[in-house]
Amino acid sequence: MSKARLATAWLGGCSGCHMSFLDMDEWLFELADLADLVYSPIADVKVFPPDVDITLVEGAVANEDNVELAREIRANSKVVVSFGDCAVTGNVTAMRNPLGDPLGILEAVYVNAPDRNGVIPAEPGIVPPLLPQVQPLHKVIKVDAYLPGCPPPADRIQRAVEALLAGDPSRITGEDIRFG
Amino acid sequence: MRELRTTVTIAFNDVEVEAFADETVMQAARRNDVFIPSLCYVEGLSVWGGCRMCMIEIEEDRRLRPACATPVNPEMEVYTDTPKLRAHRKAILELLFAEGNHVCAVCVSNGNCELQDMAVACGMDHVRYDYRSPRRAVDASHPKYVFDPNRCILCTRCVRVCDEIEGAHVWDVASHGADAVLITDLATPWGDSTSCTWCGKCVAVCPTGSLSYQGTAVGEMEHSVSMISRLAVARSRGEWLDPEAVS
Amino acid sequence: MAAPIDLHEVAERELSERYGFPWRIKACMSTACLSAGANQAYEGMEQTIEKEDLALEARLIPTGCMGLCSRGPLVRVLRRGTDEIMYQAVNKEVAIDIITDHVRDHKPVETNVLDHNIPFFTSQEKIVLENGGVIDPNRIESYVGHRGYQAFERVITRMAPEEVIEIIRASGLRGRGGAGYPVGSKWALLAAATGDTKYVVANGDEGDPGAYMDRTVMEDDPHRLLEGIGIAAYATGASQAYIYVRAEYPRAVERLDRAIRVARRKRLLGRNILDTEFSLDINVRIGAGAFVCGEETALLASIEGRRGTPRLRPPYPTERGLWGAPTMINNVETLANVPTIMRKGAEWYSSIGTEGNTGTKVFALAGDLVNTGLIEVPMGVTLRHIVEDMGGGIPNGKAFKAAQTGGPSGGCISSEFLDTPVDYDSLRNLGSIMGSGGLVVMDEDVSMPEIAKFFMAFSMDESCGKCSPCRAGTVQLHTLLERITSGAGTRQDMRDLEHLCHVVRDTSLCGLGQTAPSPVLSTLHYFRAEYEDMLVSEEATNA
Ligand SMILES: Cc1cc2nc3c(=O)[nH]c(=O)nc-3n(C[C@H](O)[C@H](O)[C@H](O)COP(=O)(O)O)c2cc1C
């Protein structure tokens, strides 16, 4: 059997899910026998590659770069997985949503806060503009499986990846889908 | 002193069990360890029937019925776990999650929350509907407790326990529809309430992190619904009355 | 205590007075005509009669609704020995002309004559509205002069309660509040219930947008409602009654209050009515205009002074209603049928309409029609007859697209079903309902998903918030409809919409939530292509 092409991506999240992924410790060696990690924030690949079998996406969709990457992931992946609460629900990243227009929040943080230099960072092409509302991943692209948790503990990730590699995401159930 | 209650036979998912003739399907299910989800039902408090998680199917009845408010009928055949019920319950849960601001990761009740548990039990792994992200102010004016309406699912357990067990009726619902919200007294801050006795029963029965003790951090809040049920049931049976004193 | 009213004598006096004038001019003073300026027209006629010294010749009578509201203000001129002439769009000038030209000079004002031999009028069968445009709602004598309270008197002096219930049962009358529950059976339930006090409640909440059948009865024929309640109370052993009216109907409240005061004075209400053993008091309760307060258990909570939210049934109100006492709720139009049934008999009543759907139904005809207004037709007439003949068809050469019945709880019926008889069962089979009698006709330009969205917005705003599927579900259904009608909807949105409709319908606590998805489901059923045409294209979805 040829090795699966696995990717992980990081949108608007704290990277905690990736930390938890690394917590799988020695199982990562077994995983390496089953799949090649073709794209990941921990693998320093710049461009999302084609023909990916499974992509785990951490983080909510919070800015325009997130949207762009999400679409690229969708176009090049067979199975897209919302990985962790931010991707699944918006979670902490989306806690700005009730406050409305992000500009007000940026002002509060960068302009009105006493320890800041009074400018909202703006660097076209580098600092991506925020979306009016943070969205869970499935509101932007079609998602095939969900792995909630903040972060999902390593053993859950392992069971989920095993299920995905076996082509049966319906096995991700019970306590493995607990939020929080 | 307790009367002998008549029993009847009913079936849950094709398994026959004994039920009391004067109880509800929910009560029969709980005594027989049959799982029927619910978020507003508390044994000992009045039946509210608002969360609609406990809908069941009954043989030869076209409509779904709420188990909490459906009396037991001899020979009735109840189904609690059909594909339709599962799909409907999941949808109702999604509606509840989309309605408020339920951020488990930063909630005092994380790990001790009936809503969170219910999502696990019902296999709800994401919300199809748009999050409404309402802006709701937290009321932390009470010296002992905090009310966070962002986490409130309007089950009204607090309203009922305060009115029916404590007898204070501090809580009630104001406004209607999507704007419905819990209030204390006449919509004044809880800390200013002159009717609140600080008994904490509302906090004990809250299914989510909406009502909590001041100073609890993420995941530290523990509710105690069973304590309230014990209280209510014992009281209804007059268990603590001095037999000498009651004549 | 004052002596009770002598109905026979009052009726005699009223009749001799009525024919003492060669001319009688009846001016509609109902809400629709008033808002079109009926007051000024009335004053114009009053002053001209005075000025022309015609006070002994012509009697001016303010009346209730004549039906064709879109042509108001309406005036009927009756001259002894000739056919009546009906006038439309009577402004102050026309009103003056009616007196000077028609009454004084015997030359009708041709420009404003309305042919009353059109199907809009001739196809009607008036029972509930029989006094509309005929009597002066503010004078009990006017009602008594048209056989008012005759049935009531006979019932309480000469009939046993069971006999009354039997007649109502045999008439086949079904509740006009929407569900069509057999009225005789409901009365029998209350009659069988035990309790020191029993209540009858007339439901005049009438929350459907555009509906005004019950308002018209309460405003234009208040004594008919009192008589119907009186008969119901006698038959069921109730001694207290309430009329629940929405606050948006101040004129109904005012006229009912006056009617109740007068009826009390005349000993038609109160203790020992007409010197019998029967006592009954009626009180008006004003609701704050919430749609859900028309639902019977919410209505009862509201009367008790509590929050107007529905509660679980059983127990049904006939077991435990107002303050725990047995209570029966009937719709205003339902009760307005009762005096005539008792006067003319069950057999007569059941000969009107069809088997299982006897009698008449009042509809508020609205939308894209030549004639709109209030009509009362025998049950079972076809939708086509109502739309094409009575309504005069669709204006501006447009085609009929759909008829909406039952308001926010109902559905849309497409043109291939125009020959469906309008009755409880046929409409239900088409996925709509009779409802309380709203009937909105839509022409080819109307977008069905937009209509569904309109009604969903209504249900969302009117949800009481008690149960989660209705409270949160209507919001999400509305959001989905907004997305679809704005052209941003996907196939997934369509699937979510349809599934959520089923969830809200199957799991909501009361009729509001259970029927809120109906406008969506019925338009999805008959006009699905319209939704699909609005979706974003597949390529755009996949991009
Ligand atoms: C949301 C909702 C609104 C209702 N509104 C009215 C109303 O405005 N008027 C009415 O007579 N019945 C209304 N009903 C029906 C009443 O609950 C009740 O069935 C009716 O008044 C009984 O009278 P009937 O038997 O004469 O039809 C409503 C029901 C629901 C669920």
Side-chain angles (χ1 to χ4, degrees):
Chain A
M1 199 182 78
S2 68
K3 279 166 88 175
R5 287 165 62 78
L6 178 70
T8 73
W10 180 19
L11 307 180
C14 70
S15 87
C17 297
H18 276 89
M19 298 298 128
S20 200
F21 186 88
L22 293 176
D23 276 347
M24 292 195 290
D25 299 339
E26 62 268 33
W27 193 75
L28 288 171
F29 291 102
E30 281 176 46
L31 177 60
D33 291 336
L34 302 169
D36 285 328
L37 194 61
V38 294
Y39 179 89
S40 174
I42 53 176
D44 200 25
V45 183
K46 300 289 184 229
V47 179
F48 197 87
D51 300 322
V52 177
D53 292 304
I54 300 162
T55 305
L56 304 181
V57 183
E58 174 191 339
V61 183
N63 62 38
E64 288 179 6
D65 276 10
N66 296 156
V67 176
E68 203 175 312
L69 179 53
R71 293 200 173 134
E72 225 164 293
I73 289 167
R74 180 70 270 180
N76 294 291
S77 312
K78 288 199 192 80
V79 174
V80 175
V81 184
S82 279
F83 174 36
D85 276 356
C86 290
V88 179
T89 75
N91 199 29
V92 175
T93 314
M95 284 177 77
R96 73 161 158 93
N97 285 357
L99 304 175
D101 185 358
L103 190 66
I105 302 163
L106 291 172
E107 265 168 9
V109 172
Y110 289 103
V111 182
N112 302 332
D115 59 337
R116 297 287 159 162
N117 56 10
V119 280
I120 295 173
E123 201 67 60
I126 295 178
V127 181
L130 297 179
L131 300 180
Q133 293 275 288
V134 176
Q135 300 287 354
L137 185 63
H138 63 273
K139 285 284 160 184
V140 179
I141 59 167
K142 183 170 171 293
V143 169
D144 305 296
Y146 300 85
L147 181 59
C150 185
D155 56 327
R156 273 201 231 166
I157 303 174
Q158 182 185 327
R159 278 192 295 276
V161 171
E162 282 169 342
L164 290 161
L165 287 170
D168 184 13
S170 70
R171 272 166 35 193
I172 313 173
T173 55
E175 279 299 324
D176 286 352
I177 58 161
R178 179 175 284 278
F179 293 109
Chain B
M1 207 182 80
R2 234 168 274 166
E3 288 165 38
L4 227 54
R5 293 167 78 183
T6 330
T7 57
V8 295
T9 305
I10 66 171
F12 282 113
N13 309 315
D14 297 323
V15 179
E16 290 194 348
V17 300
E18 255 188 15
F20 291 122
D22 59 352
E23 67 184 347
T24 61
V25 172
M26 178 69 92
Q27 287 170 321
R30 296 227 166 155
R31 281 191 311 96
N32 287 290
D33 287 325
V34 175
F35 174 69
I36 299 179
S38 171
L39 288 166
C40 66
Y41 181 79
V42 173
E43 183 66 41
L45 299 183
S46 63
V47 171
W48 176 245
C51 76
R52 315 306 281 177
M53 287 297 291
C54 72
M55 302 306 282
I56 48 165
E57 287 186 48
I58 301 170
E59 189 72 36
E60 288 181 7
D61 186 345
R62 276 182 312 120
R63 296 172 70 159
L64 307 183
R65 304 280 171 186
C68 66
T70 304
V72 157
N73 251 325
E75 311 293 319
M76 79 197 298
E77 293 178 39
V78 178
Y79 293 90
T80 64
D81 196 27
T82 64
K84 177 173 174 177
L85 290 174
R86 263 180 266 149
H88 281 17
R89 282 171 190 156
K90 206 156 132 178
I92 293 174
L93 270 181
E94 290 175 56
L95 290 172
L96 289 172
F97 271 94
E99 181 179 42
N101 293 304
H102 299 280
V103 189
C104 299
V106 296
C107 179
V108 288
S109 281
N110 190 10
N112 182 22
C113 170
E114 293 182 43
L115 185 65
Q116 193 182 33
D117 292 347
M118 202 59 82
V120 171
C122 296
M124 193 212 88
D125 60 4
H126 75 290
V127 172
R128 277 166 290 180
Y129 313 120
D130 288 7
Y131 285 95
R132 293 184 50 239
S133 308
R135 191 164 183 173
R136 298 174 177 166
V138 175
D139 183 349
S141 60
H142 196 285
K144 274 181 78 178
Y145 316 116
V146 180
F147 169 47
D148 185 346
N150 293 289
R151 300 164 179 160
C152 175
I153 55 168
L154 290 165
C155 69
T156 72
R157 288 182 185 183
C158 55
V159 178
R160 287 174 285 151
V161 78
C162 184
D163 178 46
E164 296 164 16
I165 308 295
E166 180 62 7
H169 202 133
V170 175
W171 293 99
D172 216 322
V173 183
S175 298
H176 71 275
D179 297 329
V181 63
L182 286 175
I183 53 165
T184 44
D185 285 3
L186 293 171
T188 46
W190 194 1
D192 296 347
S193 170
T194 49
S195 59
C196 177
T197 63
W198 298 33
C199 75
K201 292 191 181 70
C202 54
V203 180
V205 285
C206 182
T208 72
S210 189
L211 290 171
S212 63
Y213 298 113
Q214 287 275 9
T216 29
V218 169
E220 285 183 357
M221 183 62 212
E222 288 194 19
H223 302 281
S224 181
V225 183
S226 59
M227 181 265 278
I228 296 296
S229 289
R230 276 201 306 282
L231 204 63
V233 173
R235 175 193 279 195
S236 72
R237 292 179 183 156
E239 277 180 13
W240 299 306
L241 293 181
D242 176 356
E244 304 278 297
V246 240
S247 54
Chain C
M1 244 194 284
I5 188 172
D6 183 336
L7 292 169
H8 189 70
E9 192 225 297
V10 171
E12 290 275 287
R13 187 150 26 87
E14 194 57 22
L15 278 178
S16 66
E17 238 175 69
R18 185 185 307 161
Y19 297 112
F21 292 87
W23 296 85
R24 278 173 302 135
I25 302 149
K26 305 206 170 187
C28 177
M29 299 293 271
S30 196
T31 295
C33 283
L34 280 174
S35 60
N39 245 333
Q40 289 89 312
Y42 189 85
E43 277 169 21
M45 290 193 282
E46 204 172 28
Q47 290 160 2
T48 315
I49 289 174
E50 185 82 10
K51 209 168 81 202
E52 298 290 336
D53 207 13
L54 291 166
L56 292 177
E57 291 281 300
R59 176 152 184 218
L60 182 59
I61 303 158
T63 72
C65 182
M66 300 178 183
L68 193 43
C69 305
S70 56
R71 306 281 184 88
L74 299 177
V75 169
R76 294 169 64 206
V77 177
L78 295 93
R79 187 187 175 195
R80 210 163 39 201
T82 61
D83 280 349
E84 79 167 81
I85 287 185
M86 196 168 196
Y87 288 107
Q88 60 182 335
V90 180
N91 57 27
K92 191 163 182 171
E93 290 80 64
V94 177
I96 293 170
D97 289 349
I98 289 175
I99 303 301
T100 53
D101 299 7
H102 190 170
V103 176
R104 190 190 62 196
D105 301 341
H106 299 198
K107 285 194 303 259
V109 187
E110 297 295 347
T111 47
N112 288 66
V113 169
L114 173 62
D115 182 4
H116 59 268
N117 285 315
I118 54 173
F120 183 87
F121 294 110
T122 55
S123 289
Q124 295 203 40
E125 169 98 36
K126 291 195 171 188
I127 298 173
V128 169
L129 300 180
E130 66 180 343
N131 290 336
V134 176
I135 68 163
D136 177 352
N138 280 324
R139 291 180 58 249
I140 189 170
E141 296 81 7
S142 193
Y143 180 64
V144 172
H146 285 85
R147 292 186 290 276
Y149 287 114
Q150 263 184 15
F152 181 55
E153 181 181 41
R154 199 162 52 81
V155 161
I156 66 169
T157 55
R158 271 178 269 160
M159 291 177 76
E162 310 80 65
E163 287 178 76
V164 181
I165 294 179
E166 202 36 56
I167 290 175
I168 295 300
R169 202 197 289 274
S171 76
L173 176 65
R174 293 170 70 173
R176 301 294 191 246
Y181 192 82
V183 176
S185 310
K186 207 193 264 189
W187 288 21
L189 284 175
L190 186 68
T194 48
D196 291 340
T197 309
K198 296 192 221 173
Y199 296 92
V200 167
V201 175
N203 187 344
D205 190 59
E206 194 163 57
D208 288 15
Y212 57 105
M213 298 75 56
D214 297 343
R215 185 191 74 200
T216 304
V217 172
M218 294 187 285
E219 287 184 1
D220 297 348
D221 206 358
H223 286 286
R224 168 180 297 273
L225 177 58
L226 302 189
E227 185 176 1
I229 294 172
I231 294 168
Y234 177 78
T236 55
S239 57
Q240 291 281 331
Y242 288 97
I243 305 172
Y244 188 84
V245 190
R246 53 178 34 226
E248 286 90 334
Y249 288 176
R251 192 171 295 120
V253 172
E254 182 200 312
R255 290 185 180 172
L256 284 169
D257 271 337
R258 178 176 327 166
I260 290 170
R261 254 195 337 270
V262 174
R264 267 195 209 126
R265 213 178 311 126
K266 306 277 184 197
R267 305 272 317 277
L268 288 160
L269 285 177
R271 263 196 299 139
N272 300 109
I273 293 172
L274 300 178
D275 285 339
T276 65
E277 292 293 294
F278 177 53
S279 301
L280 170 69
D281 229 332
I282 304 182
N283 283 286
V284 174
R285 281 287 176 275
I286 302 174
F291 177 58
V292 76
C293 285
E295 194 280 335
E296 56 185 25
T297 60
L299 184 150
L300 296 180
S302 173
I303 289 181
E304 290 176 5
R306 294 186 290 115
R307 205 178 140 74
T309 53
R311 63 157 174 79
L312 300 159
R313 295 175 305 187
Y316 286 89
T318 44
E319 304 158 58
R320 287 180 60 82
L322 283 176
W323 297 287
T327 303
M328 181 188 69
I329 297 107
N330 267 147
N331 166 262
V332 163
E333 187 185 331
T334 309
L335 291 162
N337 274 290
V338 167
T340 318
I341 294 175
M342 294 312 297
R343 206 169 64 228
K344 298 194 177 174
E347 209 168 305
W348 165 80
Y349 190 82
S350 59
S351 72
I352 302 165
T354 59
E355 174 127 27
N357 289 276
T358 60
T360 59
K361 179 77 196 83
V362 183
F363 288 99
L365 202 54
D368 301 319
L369 282 175
V370 174
N371 304 320
T372 59
L374 219 51
I375 56 167
E376 182 171 0
V377 289
M379 292 258 198
V381 298
T382 63
L383 204 49
R384 187 185 300 284
H385 184 58
I386 294 179
V387 171
E388 294 180 357
D389 303 331
M390 303 184 73
I394 318 290
N396 310 320
K398 296 260 167 67
F400 170 92
K401 180 161 185 183
Q404 211 279 346
T405 66
S409 324
C412 290
I413 297 162
S414 59
S415 57
E416 62 261 43
F417 298 101
L418 264 175
D419 291 310
T420 305
V422 176
D423 61 47
Y424 288 102
D425 308 309
S426 309
L427 291 181
R428 191 164 301 161
N429 289 342
L430 291 182
S432 187
I433 55 164
M434 176 89 96
S436 56
L439 209 172
V440 184
V441 172
M442 290 165 278
D443 72 19
E444 55 192 291
D445 294 342
V446 175
S447 151
M448 290 296 126
E450 290 287 349
I451 292 291
K453 187 177 76 176
F454 168 84
F455 282 115
M456 191 54 69
F458 179 87
S459 295
M460 172 177 80
D461 289 342
E462 294 295 338
S463 169
C464 79
K466 176 169 178 172
C467 75
S468 27
C470 176
R471 180 185 70 234
T474 52
V475 171
Q476 295 293 347
L477 286 172
H478 186 254
T479 305
L480 286 162
L481 287 166
E482 278 206 311
R483 189 143 66 230
I484 291 167
T485 53
S486 74
T490 61
R491 301 225 156 253
Q492 186 58 45
D493 288 329
M494 283 287 282
R495 281 191 289 274
D496 290 347
L497 177 74
E498 206 161 356
H499 180 249
L500 188 52
C501 277
H502 294 151
V503 173
V504 174
R505 179 193 64 193
D506 295 346
T507 65
S508 287
L509 193 159
C510 87
L512 195 159
Q514 288 160 7
T515 59
S518 297
V520 185
L521 287 170
S522 84
T523 49
L524 274 174
H525 185 72
Y526 294 115
F527 303 96
R528 181 176 289 269
E530 264 186 66
Y531 284 86
E532 290 178 342
D533 288 348
M534 285 178 155
L535 302 180
V536 290
S537 63
E538 285 299 320
E539 305 88 79
T541 324
N542 292 336

